[in-house]
Amino acid sequence: MITDVKPYNSEEAKGKQVGEMFDSIAPAYDFMNTAMTGGLHRWWRDRALSMALGRKGGGEVSDVLDIACGTGDVAFRLHQLLPDARITGLDLSPGMLRIAEEKLARLMSSAEGRKGKGAVSFIQGDCLDLPYPDNSFDLITVAYGVRNFERLQQGYAEMHRVLRPGGVLCVVELSVPTNPLVRPLYKLYTRAVIPTVGRLVSRDRRAYTYLPESIAQCPQRAEMTALMTGAGFGQADFKSLTLGVVTIYLATR
């Protein structure tokens, strides 16, 4: 289970520190995602969304919430896949949302961005207290965000509340490989290489050290799906990709 691992110190609330951390690294965030994963994060994203829409089984998807949306990568891909849906991205960090809004302005000036009847919008908000009534969304996505939740069970309960019956939750999260041959290489990469590059690029000395710490402390695989079912979700299952460094979780209300 998650312990009290926080980005900067043990005194302040985790949510406040997470928001400050992402404000700090926002300018470097997209570059670091691509550099750290060799571009695989786009394949992981597309695989997760394909699985989520497959779980919907052709059912209508008119309202989508992307929690911890960051700079909007998942939200914009959802708009491409679901041009008639309303896509809302929610994040704690004003710095990340500022970049997402800049991307949105560029997207909406293009023919690709204006296709369909749907729309993309972004809002600053708290994943533990979602500003929406019950039964508001057909699909909820969270990419690389749940390990930053201050109270993960409460976050899942909120997602369950705002999801419509038959709606799907899709979570993508980094995970620790279980293969004993892979784990030493994984530890070297995440605990030495990534923090060093992260400090040089983002100038934040803690953010990319916190990254592997938060991955290690986050519930993974069966433990994660147990939290989902504990919040009321059904059909919770997972699929690990790329030697187990990322895991996709799906659940249905």
Side-chain angles (χ1 to χ4, degrees), residues 2 13-18 65-68 90-92 123-132 134 140 142 145-162 227 231:
I2 289 179
K14 181 174 181 176
K16 180 177 184 295
Q17 293 187 52
V18 166
L65 177 63
D66 181 35
I67 295 175
L90 178 143
D91 201 280
L92 271 177
I123 182 174
Q124 184 178 4
D126 186 351
C127 60
L128 303 183
D129 185 19
L130 295 171
Y132 304 105
D134 298 356
I140 296 176
V142 193
V146 296
R147 61 189 164 78
N148 297 313
F149 285 18
E150 190 156 9
R151 293 179 294 279
L152 183 50
Q153 189 74 66
Q154 181 179 339
Y156 278 136
E158 272 292 274
M159 288 185 264
H160 184 270
R161 179 183 67 79
V162 302
L227 286 177

Side-chain angles (χ1 to χ4, degrees), residues 52-221:
L53 295 176
R55 174 71 71 94
K56 281 293 293 179
E60 181 182 3
V61 180
S62 58
D63 296 282
V64 183
L65 177 63
D66 181 35
I67 295 175
C69 66
T71 62
D73 180 63
V74 172
F76 295 131
R77 183 61 175 147
L78 282 162
H79 179 64
Q80 291 177 325
L81 296 172
L82 301 166
D84 293 329
R86 291 176 291 272
I87 315 295
T88 303
L90 178 143
D91 201 280
L92 271 177
S93 164
M96 298 288 271
L97 291 172
R98 191 175 305 115
I99 293 174
E101 292 283 4
E102 291 170 359
K103 291 181 180 179
L104 178 61
R106 293 194 295 270
L107 177 68
M108 290 301 110
S109 68
S110 69
E112 175 71 15
R114 294 192 301 270
K115 72 176 184 179
K117 301 175 183 177
V120 181
S121 61
F122 295 101
I123 182 174
Q124 184 178 4
D126 186 351
C127 60
L128 303 183
D129 185 19
L130 295 171
Y132 304 105
D134 298 356
N135 309 320
S136 293
F137 299 97
D138 304 298
L139 172 65
I140 296 176
T141 58
V142 193
Y144 316 111
V146 296
R147 61 189 164 78
N148 297 313
F149 285 18
E150 190 156 9
R151 293 179 294 279
L152 183 50
Q153 189 74 66
Q154 181 179 339
Y156 278 136
E158 272 292 274
M159 288 185 264
H160 184 270
R161 179 183 67 79
V162 302
L163 199 61
R164 291 171 181 149
V168 171
L169 169 64
C170 176
V171 171
V172 187
E173 191 52 86
L174 299 169
S175 49
V176 179
T178 57
N179 187 314
L181 299 178
V182 175
R183 287 187 72 158
L185 294 175
Y186 167 85
K187 289 181 69 173
L188 175 66
Y189 185 65
T190 59
R191 295 185 179 273
V193 177
I194 287 178
T196 300
V197 175
R199 282 194 296 271
L200 292 173
V201 174
S202 73
R203 306 297 177 90
D204 188 312
R205 297 183 61 84
R206 264 293 294 168
Y208 288 94
T209 302
Y210 164 78
L211 173 65
E213 294 173 355
S214 63
I215 296 169
Q217 295 299 328
C218 186
Q220 296 176 22
R221 303 179 179 92

